[in-house]
Amino acid sequence: MKTYKNVVLGGTFDRLHNGHKILLSEAALRCTEKLTVGVTDTNMITGKVLWELIQPCTQRIEKVEEFLEDVDSSISYNVVPINDIYGPTKEDPTLEMIVVSEETKRGGDKINELRLQKNLNKLDIHVVKLAVDEGHEEHEETKISSSNHRMRLLGTRLKDPSESEILRPRILRPYIIGLTGGIASGKSSVAEKLKQLGAGLVNCDKLAHNLYLPGTDCFHKIIEYFGSSILDSNGFINRKLLGDIVFNNKEQLVKLNKLIWPLILQEAKKEIKNLSYKHRNIIVLEAAVLIQAEWQNECSEIWTCIISQNEDKLYFTYAIKRVIDRNGLSEEAAKLRINMQPSTMEQVKEANVVICTSWSYERTLVQVERAWKELIQDLEITGFLISNI
């Protein structure tokens, strides 16, 4: 086997798996002095399946370094973030060989093309065969991949709620699942499934709708601030007109939210109390604004519904249509409202469980049932009373 003083390779290396380890080991075996590893940073991962679940670059770098030190501690390792396919290869004259997989061989060729343009030596290319994932599902890749692993994380605990300093103490009853997600992310379908499984359900969107009705405290506060010009001929708040005002003026939107969010939460707490009287020990608090309103401390854990990046355009089109149909808005106004939502990344960051509704309803149900089963098992272990659900 031919060896080289300076070897290079690159990749995402998300949740280091056997495929990654084979690639890294092949590189280390052929290196005698310095191994450079490029780890893709944020701008290079956004096209990947479920990229929002990819570990931070710093964490991936740390895991690569730990693994390589175990493989051969005598070699010098330079593990760095990269923002393009070239990384250090576009300027390092000491590099001699690059390790690639079968699917990234073209990338190795492009690197050599650039190096020749810059009068740098051409790198020898060592191609590693892809490792087959014998246990892959029909909808998964046949190779061992991080994408498969991320899909298998859906409907499982990404973070232990007991380690959070924000969430409601888990010993308190009832146990509250904060369910959130963007427009058309499928959270209502997930909420209904959880209700079928035995959870109580509090729908904050419905509570908010009732708060706008004449005679409520919320109604009077809104009219007091925004004026009677937002009323229709029957004395009801014209939601479309009010929406036009607040979604085109951030200051006005903040004011409306400050008025209505505490009142929604107040009503939600009443609903939760009523459900707990009916022996509902697990209650779903379905709220699109859960993260923005900072209601995490009202929840025992957070479940977030998302649409995957690969389905983003389709989702955006569907979400626009839904807002237009539901609210009677123009396409431009609908886009404005959708774009004002927290990003998927922001919502995933807060989540204990992520459910992706991009694919078939059946696949969504599998995730929900998996998450529910894990929750029930956890609550049984911790002694939380669940006999009446």
Side-chain angles (χ1 to χ4, degrees), residues 69-191:
E69 285 294 334
D70 285 340
V71 171
D72 188 347
S73 59
S74 68
I75 300 173
S76 171
Y77 296 111
N78 179 36
V79 187
V80 296
I82 57 173
N83 293 297
D84 56 46
I85 67 166
Y86 304 105
T89 64
K90 61 177 175 277
E91 56 192 10
D92 189 342
T94 67
L95 297 174
E96 300 169 313
M97 192 266 279
I98 184 169
V99 175
V100 298
S101 69
E102 289 174 310
E103 65 180 3
T104 59
K105 169 66 167 58
R106 175 59 186 144
D109 293 334
K110 290 184 72 174
I111 284 169
N112 271 335
E113 290 171 11
L114 180 63
R115 286 179 69 86
L116 290 175
Q117 290 173 19
K118 294 192 168 195
N119 295 317
L120 295 170
N121 60 299
K122 183 179 179 181
L123 303 178
D124 285 354
I125 298 178
H126 175 66
V127 181
V128 178
K129 288 186 177 181
L130 295 172
V132 177
D133 185 347
E134 300 291 352
H136 73 276
E137 299 287 340
E138 184 179 349
H139 58 271
E140 295 178 336
E141 295 179 314
T142 56
K143 64 172 183 174
I144 294 176
S145 73
S146 298
S147 297
N148 285 355
H149 188 72
R150 288 193 295 276
M151 283 193 275
R152 293 166 191 170
L153 287 175
L154 297 171
T156 68
R157 285 264 177 78
L158 301 179
K159 293 187 294 188
D160 187 343
S162 65
E163 297 176 0
S164 172
E165 296 179 358
I166 301 174
L167 296 173
R168 184 172 184 262
R170 302 185 76 217
I171 59 171
L172 296 180
R173 291 173 172 76
Y175 195 90
I176 300 175
I177 299 171
L179 180 64
T180 191
I183 296 169
S185 63
K187 59 184 177 296
S188 294
S189 297
V190 170

Side-chain angles (χ1 to χ4, degrees), residues 1 16 96 141 181 228 286 378:
M1 179 178 65
L16 214 59
E96 300 169 313
E141 295 179 314
S228 59
E286 181 190 351
D378 180 44

Side-chain angles (χ1 to χ4, degrees), residues 151-159 161 170 175-179 190-191 193-195 197-199 282 284 300-305 351-357 362-380 386 389:
M151 283 193 275
R152 293 166 191 170
L153 287 175
L154 297 171
T156 68
R157 285 264 177 78
L158 301 179
K159 293 187 294 188
R170 302 185 76 217
Y175 195 90
I176 300 175
I177 299 171
L179 180 64
V190 170
K193 178 59 180 177
L194 289 170
K195 186 177 179 181
L197 289 169
I282 300 178
V284 175
S300 308
E301 61 181 85
I302 308 296
W303 292 16
T304 296
C305 297
N352 300 99
V353 173
V354 172
I355 294 169
C356 182
T357 61
E362 289 71 26
R363 283 179 65 183
T364 299
L365 291 186
V366 168
Q367 297 170 52
V368 177
E369 289 167 355
R370 181 189 298 149
W372 179 260
K373 182 179 179 181
E374 185 176 352
L375 173 62
I376 297 302
Q377 290 174 341
D378 180 44
L379 294 182
E380 286 177 341
I386 56 172
I389 63 169

